[in-house]
Each structure stands twice: as structure tokens, then as C-alpha cells.
Amino acid sequence: MQALLRFRLSSSSARSTLTQGRWNCGPRPIPIPTVSSRYATTSAALSKKLDLLALDKKWQEKWQSDTLRLSSKAVSAAAAEKAAKLTGEKPRSYILSMFPYPSGTLHMGHLRVYTISDVLARFYRMRGHEVIHPMGWDAFGLPAENAAIERGIDPAEWTKHNISRMKEQLRSISTSFDWDRELATCDPEFYEHTQRIFLMLYEKGLAYQAEALVNYDPVDKTVLANEQVDANGFSWRSGAKVEKLNLKQWFFRITAFKEMLLKDLDSLAGGWPERVLSMQRNWMGKSQGANIKFPVTVNGETGTGIDVGVFTTRPDTLYGVEYIALSLDHPLVLKSAETDPDLRKFLDNAASLPADSKAGYRLSDLTVSHPLRIIDKESPLVARQLPVFAAPYVLSDYGEGAVMGVPGHDSRDLAFFRDNVNPDSIPIVVEPRKDEANSESAGVVSSADAKAFTQEGYLNAMCWKYQGLHSSEAKKQIVADLKQVGRGDFVEQWRLRDWLISRQRYWGAPIPIIHCGDCGPVPVPADQLPVKLPKIEGDWLKGKKGNPLESSHEWVNTKCPSCGGPAKRDTDTMDTFVDSSWYFLRYLDPANKELPFSPSSARPVDVYIGGVEHAILHLLYARFIYKALSQTELFPEIARNGNLATPFEPFKTLLSQGMVHGRTYSDPSTGRFLLPSEMDLSTPDKPLIKGTQVTPAVSFEKMSKSKHNGVDPTGCALKYGADTTRAHVLFSAPVSEVLDWDETKIVGIERWFSRLWKLVADAQHTLATSPMALDRAALQASSGHATGLPSSLQELSDSDADAVLATHRTICYVTKCIEKNPYGLNTVISDLTKLTNSLLASTPTSPQVLYLSISSLLRLLAPIAPALASECWEILNSSVTAGNATETEAGADTSTSPPALLDSPWPTPLLTLEEADILSARGGQIVAVQVNGKLRFTVTIPRRLSPTTTTEGSGTVTEEQDWIISRVLETDEGRVWLREKNDWEKRRRVIVVKGGKLINVVF
Ligand SMILES: [Zn+2]
């Protein structure tokens, strides 16, 4: 910290010229109602009211022209310079928000996520980091294609138009993205590399084509990944009932990385929300179990040599098996259907039943015998033949497409059993307690009372020699015994399936494979990439059904790259999740023509910000691609062969923000959602329904067209200013929680900004008439503060000491919060509001302290409200640097203005631990103590110590009150009145009021 303070004669004429000049240069205010300061200022130059919209316009234009000036150099030169910079000494931060789909409209969820990422990016820049904060567009996908089909618009044009609109909207909320890294996944320059990555995976056997029973969306006419079908069998996008079809499709072999994907989640603990980690774990669904073989009896004939293999995690319940259920495409079911027309009919209908359907069809020709029968010749339970069903609830790709039905110990099996078998009783073979298991009477319950006991427990008398064993032990023994006779073995099972990436749509990256009659599938050679989408001519896509690429004959028919003979292009395009699984790596090297990115640029994202709705699929796919690419030449040797103990993960920290809910009005009598035009909001606290003047029901719900509760963030920015909107969205809820957007409360932020404006105006006046002056070099100092504290802390006035302490504490809290716990960004707003209020209530008398406090406050505010803070910064500094301006007035314009706020260093703590303690303790605090309502004594206790000496920062109000009470009890008067004359331990209530100035103790 350097203190460059010198005295000079006031040069007021130069100062006022500068000040007025600045105002004259400013834009004309936009004629929309604005926030105005209700406080008169004494300075003539600053009698101007606070016009936040004008500030937005002025500063947004300035930032944009600065960016343009910077990027007017050749792109390659800029990139080279940046690359050189990035290898320098500065710490680096890659701050990334999930990129949007270019729908054309920014919504409140966008405002929330981009405000958070912008605050982090600006914070780290001011901390001296080289920050990468890019933005791009997840631009392939169905809405563009649907627009083309409905209206005959070229999807590329539609997308381009939407991108330019949204880019403008992003600027209007004062975001600071690196636009020179911008990308759109639908640009051939981008998808060329998506295709390159596909081919890299293909060469390694990680991309393959296979016939599969797939989910087909009959409305969007495309195949969907399992993940895109909801629990009830509906498409996540169109909402259509999904059909099952057998088709040849492209897959990525994500299962090859399953162990790594699961294990490496442990390394993300602390950086990722625990909730997201467990969602990832559950999705992969690793479980330990057994494969058990049930011998099949066909038409009463045993010894057929046919088995049904079943996967189960509960072999301990094997004595409770009552039936076997097979998936609809199980070979035995298909075989039976050849001779059973009723079964065929059932299969046709069942394909459209929901996944949790209880429907079943009993195969008339098949039964199975119990696998334990070879070993256990005594138990009646295993001597029976068991029925076999075809059932839609059995997934063909889980286990072997077969389930052993144990109604006593599985709720779903019980429901199925009741519907399809309906017996009198249900066997219970596992008991919760050991004594019950050892009783000889255990076993069967009546079907009507039965409830599945799904926990582990102890095997009962139904279980032959296994009686009395705990489930965990019984599993081992039973499977070991089955293994001996060739009827079972231990296996591990995963829920994760390979990733189906084929889509039969136009608007996606074409799969770069050519199919030749002689050579089979042949990769498109690297020099023929990208395989571009055929150009849309006129209304070519209008009204088109099915896969448009199939009917683009000129495009489909091509030459085989291998033999030169006639061949056809693959007509599938890739799932858009493929684009988003690697885009964050492209930002690091966006102009690279040869490679997706250069090995030297590859690195993980430091902070990734996005909605919790992407907690599974997008993150899982991106982790997979990152791991797959890390084993290729795209990643530097050091990362691959370096420390193998460090897992290769793309996102070090994940900030997963909650949704934004909108204020929703409905008619209390009918429940009908009301349009904004039906509401009388002239008294914001008391909304009424127009006409009837009835008070509506008010709630906060997910924003949707049907509820008429959507809010346009750019509209808010135009009404209240971008800074106010940003601060309000941050303040309204902790990052991870649902945010109820309540516009009526934005006035709180407006009032705060007005107070801040007055604080700065008053300070400018004070500083301008003080002998304080700062050298511009000091302002451009690379760290800390432009001026130091007065030399003796003991000689500070009370108001100066208060200001120094309050500023110091706020610097510590805000820095710690943004750096260590960005989930608490809402508390940064309250801390800054508190500091503003305390500086207004007790304004520092020393110009140095005044400057230090306010210049710190403005820098802490800069990431949140960049335009207002920049303006205030300019005003504040004009009052202390004006003298310098006169010396260089004839020179370049830039040399006369103070350095831009956003290029200024983040404020460092003002005090050491000891200094903070000295300041906190000095003076003391007077406390009046009442006992049962009567004033008994007043004592002086030390001021509360600086929070830097406590472990928990500011602590809570209760903590502070406890601290005050403890100090009072330590005084002589406290001991006499609260311990001797009264029994402190028998106190009924202790009330601390006026911030600790008065305590009332009731005995
Ligand atoms: Zn060929």
C-alpha cells in the first residue's frame, strides 16, 4: 500500500471546467421516470439528479467503444497477444456461464445467471487475474427447424437474427463478456470441429452404430435419448407419447468411462453442490448384485436347457420369488408371440403404456423352476413352478431384461402381483428383527394386509438353512451356493447406458460418415470437413415431415472416400448435447482452423454457473467428452501423464442457481390466472382486480405464458436501470434458492443508490475544498489503495475510527464472500448497504479517511453496479486529481481523466489484526442495565473486537448480544446486580435494545 499524499493550493476553476465538461459530454437523459435524489447537494456541479438510465447509456457506450478499439487489431494478433498474456505471471480465472439457446428473448433466468457470472468476472479482473469470460450460442436444435417448417424461414437466418437481438439485450444489462471469443454451434467453423471430435471418438471405438430399440417422438419425428423421456414415457420437448422402434443409431460409448466418471465425483466435493453430485451418482446407478439363472419349462417339459437370467440386488429374498417378468422384447417373449396372437396384441398395445404400468401378460407355454431346487430338496417354496409374464415395467436394457418378482419385499412387484396373480397370501421371507426370524411361525401374510418390507433384515423359517442370517450374509451364501451348481454369480450393474446421439433432423451437425456398399462406413477425410448442411432454398423445409436430409438427394449421394465408388452420406445429425459437451474448450482457442483447440490452451473452467436443470445430462456428457479428449493428442502431455492422482474434470467449481418465479395473480373465486391488463396496481401493496375491485390471490410461480407472470429483464433495465436490476436480482435470494421476482421491492435498491449518490456528492464537495490531492500514478497503483491511513490510529476522531473499521470489515466480508462462498452473493448487497448507511450517518472528518472509505465502497460495488460505481468513481476522483489535470490539460484527453474504475485494484483490508483490535476496543461503549424494568446501573464495556479476530466474520445478532451481556457480567456493577442481588441463572428474559445501549433483565 503506497500513500502518495501531498498538499496543494486548490484550483477550483480547473476543477469546475472538468466537471462540467464531463456532464456536457454525457448523453441526454432518456425521458422515462427515473430515480432522483431527494437530497439537495451543496455543490453546484452536482446538483444534477441521479439518472441511472443516462449512466447506463453513457457507460455502456464507453465500454463498447473501448472493446471495439481493442479488437480493431487483427483478430489473430489480438489472440496471440492474449495467449502471450495468459502465459504470464498473473493468476488466471475462467469464469463461464452456461450458454443460452438463441430463442430471441432474454428471460429472468438468463438475467440471474449472467449477473452472477458478470460479478465474478469483474471481481477477478479487479483482483488482477487474467479473466476469460466468454459468451456464445447453443444454436442448433428444434425451434429453429420448426420455424423453418412452419414458415419457410432459413433456420440459419432465424438463428442469426435472434443472436443479434439477444446480444443487444445482454449489453443492456451491462454484462462484460469477451465477445472476441464468441461462437455459435451452428456455424460451420464450429461444427467442423464437433465433427472432428466425433471422428476422434470413432477411431477409438467410442462412437459406434448399432441397432437399438429406441424412443421415437412421433411429433418431432426424431429419436430421443432415454434421458429425454420422462418417467411417464413422454418427450421432454414436444410432450408427445414416445413410441418404441428398432432402428440403427449412433452411440457414444460413455459406459467405457463409467468407473472414472463415478470415482472422480469425489474430487469435486466442496466445489460442486452435494445435491448435484448425488444426482450424478444416482444417474450412473452402480449397484452390486447377482445374476441368477431360472431353468425354463416349456409346455410342462423340464430339462429344456433354456434359462432366464435375472439381475437382482436382493438374492437374500430368493425364497420369496413368486413369478418372473420379462421385457417386451425379451427373446422368450418374442418366441411365444409367434404362436400366441393374444400376446402379439398385448405387445402392440403395451409399447405405448407408461414405464410404471402394472399391466402384464402371462405366457401360457412357459414356467420356470426355482434355481435353489438343486440344493434345497426340502422347502415347499422352491418346489413349485413359477409363472412367467411379459410386462412393460421391465426395461430391456436393465440387467437381462428380466425381473424376479418378490411381492413380499418389493413394492412394485407387490402391485404387479396383486393385479396379475391375486393370491390369498404372500410369502414374507425377511424379518426386521432377529428374534422374529428365528421363530418357527413366521412366513405368510394375507394378501389384503400385505405391505412390502423393502429393507434388509434377517431370513426367517421359510428359508431353510439360511434361517437367522442377516441379508448381507445370506446374499453371499446363497449366491456362493448357486455359483457351485452353475446357477448364479456375483455381478455389478449400472443404470448408465451408452449415449444415443443420432437425431433424424436437419438443424444439427451432420455425422461425418459416408456409407459405401463395398467399404461399409467410411469417415469423411479431415480435408473434406466440415460436412456442411445443404443450403435451404426457398421453402424447401416448409411443411416437411421426417428427416429432411434424406430427401436432399444431391447432398446424400456422394463418392466413397476409400474406393471412389458411389456412396451415401449418413443422414443423421448429432444431438445438440454433443455441441454443448465441448464448447467451453473452443472458447479457449476460438480461431483455430486446424484443431478444435490447441493443446497449449486446454484447461478446465474455474467457476461454471448454470441452472440446476442441467445438473445431470449436460454435466455428465461434458465430463465424459473431457475425459475422452484428455486421452488424445488435444491435451498436453503434462496433463495426461502428470499427476494421475488429480482427476481430469472440466468444471472445478459449479454454481448452480435456483429458478426465478414470477408474481402471479389469480381470481380467488375461480382460480383463473389474470392478465396484467386485468389488474389495478395503482397501489402496489394492495393490488385489485379491475372492475370488481376484488383482492386477487397472489403467489410466486414458475414464469410461463399461461400464468401471465413473465417478466422481461431488459424492460426492467430500461425502467429502473441495469445496475438496479442487477443488484435487485442478486439481493432477492441466495444463489441456490428459488428467487421470487417482486418488482415492488426494487425501491429498496433505488433508495440505497440515492443515498450513495448523495454520499459521493457530499464527499466531492468536501474533498474539493480540502488540501488533499492525489497523484494519478497513485490512482493507477497496481494494488491496494491510493492513499494510506493517517499515521496515528489513536488520534483518529470517533467518526473516522468508525468509518475505517466499518470499511475494513466490509472489505473483508465482501472479498471473502465472493471468493469463498459465492452462494451468499445476496449478503454482499446488504453489507454494502450497511457501509453506505454508516458512512452517511457518521461521515469521516479526515479527507484521507473519507477518500479511503468511499473509494473502497465504490470498488466493492463495481462488479454489481458497474455504471453507477464508475460514474461515482469519476466524480470522487475529479475532486482530488483536478490539480493534475491543469498540468496536462493540453495533452491527450485520456491523461486528464482518472483511471477507469474497472481497471482499478480491488481494495485490500485497511487494517492489520492488531490495528483492528485497537480501533475496536477504543472508546468503549456505554450500556444502561434495567432489572425488572427499573434502571439499576450504567457501565462502560469495551467495543466489540474486530470480526477479523473471530472465526465467523460478522457473526449473528445473537452472537453480538451474547458478547455484550458477557462483558456486562464481567463488570463490578454487573456482578452485584445480576449475580448477587439476583440469581442470574434464574433469569426469565434478557432483552437487548438499541444495539446494546440498553439491556433489560427480567427475573
Ligand atoms: Zn467404398
Side-chain angles (χ1 to χ4, degrees), residues 316-348:
D316 55 317
T317 64
L318 199 52
Y319 276 87
V321 176
E322 285 290 311
Y323 67 93
I324 294 292
L326 305 176
S327 66
L328 302 180
D329 62 342
H330 193 281
L332 287 175
V333 173
L334 299 177
K335 180 96 178 129
S336 288
E338 288 171 11
T339 54
D340 184 346
D342 286 345
L343 173 57
R344 271 208 302 278
K345 210 179 285 168
F346 174 80
L347 294 179
D348 288 345

Side-chain angles (χ1 to χ4, degrees), residues 516 518-519 560 562-563:
C516 168
D518 294 329
C519 314
C560 168
S562 176
C563 70

Side-chain angles (χ1 to χ4, degrees), residues 58 197 298 390 494 524 554 563 585 635 756 803 816 894 902 1002:
K58 168 183 168 180
I197 287 171
V298 182
W494 292 74
V524 173
E554 221 172 281
C563 70
L585 289 162
F635 274 74
L756 179 79
K816 192 174 160 195
T894 49
L902 299 166
V1002 181

